[in-house]
Amino acid sequence: MRNLSVKATLLGLLVLSLTAPLHRACAQSTGALTLSVDAAASRNPISPDIYGIASYGLDATFAQEIQVANIRWGGDGTSRYNWEVDSSNSGYDWYFMGGSGAATAPTPGASPDLMVNTYKPAHANALITIPILPYVNKSYAWSCSFPVSVYGDQTSTNPYVFPIVNGVTETCGNSIATVATNGSTQLLDHDILANHISNTTALQQGWVQHLVSTFGTAAGGGVKYYQLDNEPLGWSNTHRDVQPNTATYATIVQLGQAYAAAVKQEDGSALILGPSDFTLGGWVGTASQQGGLWAGQYYLQQMAAYDQTNHLRLLDYFDEHYYFDTSTPAAQLASTRTLWDPTYNGGTWVEQYDFNGPMQLIPRFKNWINTYYPGTKLSLSEYSIDSGQKSIVDAIAEMDVLGIFGREQLDFANMWSPPAPTDPIAYAFRMFRNYDGNGHQFGDTSISAVSSDQGSLSLYAAQRTSDNAVTILAINKTTAPITSAIAIANFSLPPTAQVYVYSAANITSIVQSANATISAGTLSYTFPSYSAVMFVVQVGAAAITTAIAAPPTGVTATAGNGQVTLSWTVSTGATSYDVYEGTSAGGESKTPVRSGISGTTTAITGLTNGTGYFFTVASVDAGGTSAPSSEASASPVAPSSGSSHGGGSLSGNTLLALLLLAVLRFFDPRFSLRKPVTRGRLPL
């Protein structure tokens, strides 16, 4: 019997070794809280696709009520989904159970087809996971990879389902033997093809053909998004029966390119997300196998290289997964700052040993994109800040996340674990998508909203295109009421603002309160503890004064292989930039070849080496599009031999992380560093 006090001591020492040097820098105001909103500053479009929720168990009526932006067919259980038999294998999440137990052969692709049809009334875009793992499930009949009759006693067995194989009722194990062999309790599947078939691009092309024939192309209203599997660096954990060894990122890239090309061949308008890897370790990988780069950087670099060689963009969204710290209410509310705050260290091992400072997840990932594959959008297709407590803190933490997603210009997001319509987190989505029960939403153009203490009271604001109203959301993340005034600039103010409150006083409703008075350009209010307050300021269409930003300056063009990289200086007030291209001086196209660029650099790919190209760049803001910049030109050239690139190298972090994982698995072989899993059913 293992000594529990030894376990506690070992874990305590490991946690201390990982976290002792950390400093959680918190930007706290030293004086009174100041709040301000400026309708003419920091104007950026908010992508509606940040309001997505995974489909499993998502109430269809609630989805329609909030007009859920996207729904996802994804998760561990989809990595081995075989559309021809409409079933998968759950892997380590649930005893390596394969099949669906259907009495008769199911209709091919029936389950994801049902998902798409179920959420059509909500006008939700579908995200479908395409398996790129080398094996997929063979049959709809129940099966398992580690039957006790073949592999012997195991530490845990499925208490509910007992497949009948060759007339024998089998008990299905978890792959961890009760007695070690050659020093290991981990069993290996010695007959993979008993329950699986080899995955091929032809098999997945057949599925995309089916989806296109059933729903139309992405451009025609069919399935819009495809995801390249799920958390591939974790295959050797979740799918250890068919992938016992950790896949290198070179292999993950190679598989991703092959299957993405297959999808694009069947539907050229489809949008591809990848690598969709797990929190922390999945972003980093093993730098020594990735040219000194983190896994995400390497993935972008290699996808860009494919584009340069083949003149085809396979990757449309750089996509990862993120699970927040929900260990305590305070940690849960503070952890939202890891998405953006340059002064906040969340205490993770990647911040200590790899990033050498605060996570700043969204700006960091955008920097990776701008460096290695400009023009790629950014996605978090699986995230969760849900503690499972169904508390007011869950709701306001999710509201904080959605506010940050909009302000920081994330392009796509999908929340794991759909809430019941009466759960507090459901009201987080209602606050943004239907705060008054009449379909009115938070604005779709983010504007400047500043709090001097974002850790205590978060502030977000946006203008709504449909009626020009300005919506202001204040989130009190403390256990005490906060009284403060919001200074509002650059639009004509009415005497009052509508007020909608969600608080611990009533977690089953967003309550419309008495209008708040606006006087001398300020709105004073007492924000209840643990609350979210939405102000709706109705303004006229001509009330907001905006000037068109000046054209960008300092435009340069740098030649590459089949591409030209453009850079320019920031234009004050610009929310994005458009690029125009031509093959003669002054002959740039009237329509942009690339638009909506948020940074100050982009790569124009698919060009012909040796041909001269001419470019101009225009600034875009709420007032419109500026005149074109001065012209820059370059001729793409074939690459010279040799190249160099920088990046981090792993030192003690890998050893510490692996040591922690090894100790935790010693005491509990089912332990995973990635995320909590909902056991008991396949996501089918």
Side-chain angles (χ1 to χ4, degrees):
M1 179 177 179
R2 293 168 180 142
N3 189 298
L4 292 180
S5 65
V6 173
K7 174 180 179 181
T9 301
L10 280 171
L11 292 180
L13 288 172
L14 280 167
V15 170
L16 285 174
S17 71
L18 286 168
T19 62
L22 292 175
H23 172 64
R24 293 190 180 218
C26 301
Q28 300 293 335
S29 61
T30 57
L33 180 67
T34 59
L35 307 171
S36 64
V37 170
D38 187 339
S42 302
R43 296 180 63 85
N44 295 294
I46 296 175
S47 169
D49 266 320
I50 63 174
Y51 303 112
I53 303 177
S55 65
Y56 312 121
L58 177 62
D59 183 88
T61 301
F62 171 67
Q64 188 171 359
E65 176 198 341
I66 65 168
Q67 292 291 286
V68 67
N70 61 75
I71 39 91
R72 174 176 175 239
W73 173 267
D76 290 339
T78 59
S79 285
R80 285 188 258 177
Y81 176 72
N82 180 348
W83 77 279
E84 292 183 335
V85 296
D86 192 37
S87 61
S88 186
N89 186 297
S90 61
Y92 189 52
D93 288 351
W94 192 251
Y95 300 103
F96 302 91
M97 297 297 300
S100 62
T104 58
T107 301
S111 297
D113 286 1
L114 177 62
M115 181 198 78
V116 176
N117 283 321
T118 297
Y119 300 104
K120 270 186 176 181
H123 307 292
N125 291 317
L127 169 59
I128 295 290
T129 298
I130 295 292
I132 69 172
L133 190 68
Y135 297 96
V136 294
N137 189 56
K138 177 187 284 187
S139 171
Y140 61 87
W142 285 124
S143 66
C144 63
S145 298
F146 297 100
V148 172
S149 67
V150 177
Y151 291 92
D153 291 339
Q154 294 162 58
T155 58
S156 182
T157 58
N158 188 339
Y160 303 113
V161 178
F162 302 89
I164 298 176
V165 180
N166 297 325
V168 177
T169 300
E170 294 285 5
T171 299
C172 298
N174 66 348
S175 85
I176 309 299
T178 56
V179 178
T181 301
N182 297 323
S184 174
T185 58
Q186 177 61 61
L187 298 170
L188 296 176
D189 187 344
H190 52 65
D191 190 8
I192 292 174
L193 293 178
N195 301 315
H196 298 85
I197 63 171
S198 295
N199 190 16
T200 64
T201 55
L203 176 66
Q204 302 308 328
Q205 276 186 295
W207 187 17
V208 177
Q209 289 172 358
H210 163 79
L211 291 169
V212 169
S213 65
T214 304
F215 302 109
T217 63
V223 173
K224 186 174 182 179
Y225 300 106
Y226 292 88
Q227 186 167 33
L228 298 175
D229 217 288
N230 182 75
E231 301 184 352
L233 203 62
W235 285 342
S236 60
N237 178 47
T238 308
H239 305 289
R240 63 186 70 175
D241 50 337
V242 297
Q243 182 72 42
N245 300 313
T246 301
T248 65
Y249 243 84
T251 297
I252 292 167
V253 166
Q254 183 180 25
L255 289 169
Q257 290 173 343
Y259 283 88
V263 172
K264 295 272 189 177
Q265 183 175 335
E266 296 304 321
D267 185 355
S269 61
L271 299 172
I272 303 291
L273 285 71
S276 310
D277 229 324
F278 62 88
T279 302
L280 306 183
W283 314 333
V284 173
T286 304
S288 61
Q289 298 176 352
Q290 298 151 189
L293 301 178
W294 307 136
Q297 294 172 324
Y298 177 79
Y299 191 85
L300 285 162
Q301 180 198 62
Q302 295 303 306
M303 286 297 188
Y306 183 99
D307 190 341
Q308 293 169 9
T309 300
N310 298 279
H311 309 302
L312 175 65
R313 173 179 278 274
L314 296 179
L315 184 71
D316 299 288
Y317 288 76
F318 175 63
D319 176 58
E320 298 286 24
H321 295 172
Y322 187 42
Y323 281 76
F324 295 83
D325 181 357
T326 61
S327 56
T328 67
Q332 186 177 4
L333 291 168
S335 68
T336 63
R337 296 168 64 187
T338 60
L339 289 172
W340 66 275
D341 194 340
T343 70
Y344 181 77
N345 193 312
T348 64
W349 59 268
V350 295
E351 288 167 291
Q352 181 182 1
Y353 295 106
D354 293 309
F355 298 162
N356 298 317
M359 188 178 292
Q360 293 183 267
L361 192 65
I362 295 175
R364 183 179 298 277
F365 283 169
K366 285 191 172 187
N367 178 264
W368 289 5
I369 288 170
N370 289 334
T371 301
Y372 297 102
Y373 200 6
T376 307
K377 292 186 176 182
L378 178 59
S379 165
L380 295 174
S381 69
E382 182 175 315
Y383 76 91
S384 178
I385 198 167
D386 185 358
S387 71
Q389 300 302 309
K390 301 187 186 301
S391 68
I392 182 65
V393 173
D394 287 342
I396 63 174
E398 177 63 31
M399 290 185 208
D400 206 23
V401 167
L402 294 175
I404 292 167
F405 284 172
R407 185 192 66 201
E408 298 295 316
Q409 299 179 69
L410 187 68
D411 297 299
F412 185 103
N414 189 282
M415 186 184 75
W416 188 250
S417 298
T422 55
D423 286 351
I425 281 186
Y427 288 93
F429 281 84
R430 286 188 177 100
M431 187 63 88
F432 282 85
R433 305 292 285 174
N434 186 23
Y435 59 80
D436 62 354
N438 294 315
H440 288 107
Q441 301 179 356
F442 187 70
D444 49 20
T445 298
S446 179
I447 61 178
S448 175
V450 178
S451 167
S452 62
D453 186 358
Q454 192 85 355
S456 297
L457 192 143
S458 298
L459 193 67
Y460 306 98
Q463 183 186 6
R464 197 162 56 209
T465 301
S466 61
D467 61 357
N468 213 39
V470 169
T471 53
I472 303 170
L473 179 63
I475 303 171
N476 182 355
K477 299 190 284 185
T478 75
T479 57
I482 295 176
T483 299
S484 189
I486 305 173
I488 306 172
N490 284 316
F491 57 91
S492 300
L493 293 170
T496 62
Q498 296 173 0
V499 181
Y500 296 86
V501 179
Y502 186 77
S503 70
N506 186 349
I507 63 170
T508 62
S509 179
I510 296 172
V511 178
Q512 184 171 8
S513 300
N515 286 1
T517 299
I518 301 174
S519 177
T522 62
L523 187 160
S524 296
Y525 201 81
T526 297
F527 304 95
S529 61
Y530 280 168
S531 69
V533 179
M534 176 82 83
F535 301 104
V536 182
V537 184
Q538 299 287 348
V539 294
I544 296 177
T545 303
T546 56
I548 298 176
T553 59
V555 179
T556 62
T558 303
N561 181 26
Q563 70 170 28
V564 171
T565 299
L566 301 173
S567 299
W568 56 88
T569 302
V570 170
S571 177
T572 301
T575 58
S576 64
Y577 301 92
D578 293 347
V579 171
Y580 301 82
E581 172 193 317
T583 54
S584 62
E588 288 82 10
S589 58
K590 299 299 183 183
T591 57
V593 294
R594 181 158 296 166
S595 59
I597 303 166
S598 59
T600 57
T601 183
T602 190
I604 307 301
T605 58
L607 306 180
T608 303
N609 288 338
T611 299
Y613 291 89
F614 296 79
F615 303 91
T616 58
V617 183
S619 303
V620 179
D621 64 8
T625 303
S626 75
S629 68
S630 58
E631 195 173 57
S633 63
S635 298
V637 293
S640 59
S641 61
S643 63
S644 61
H645 49 268
S649 60
L650 296 182
S651 52
N653 62 306
T654 300
L655 293 176
L656 284 168
L658 291 177
L659 178 60
L660 175 60
L661 180 59
V663 171
L664 291 171
R665 283 186 177 162
F666 175 74
F667 293 107
D668 180 5
R670 295 178 68 85
F671 181 80
S672 170
L673 283 178
R674 299 184 298 115
K675 65 174 184 285
V677 293
T678 302
R679 303 187 187 280
R681 63 185 177 88
L682 288 173
L684 298 178

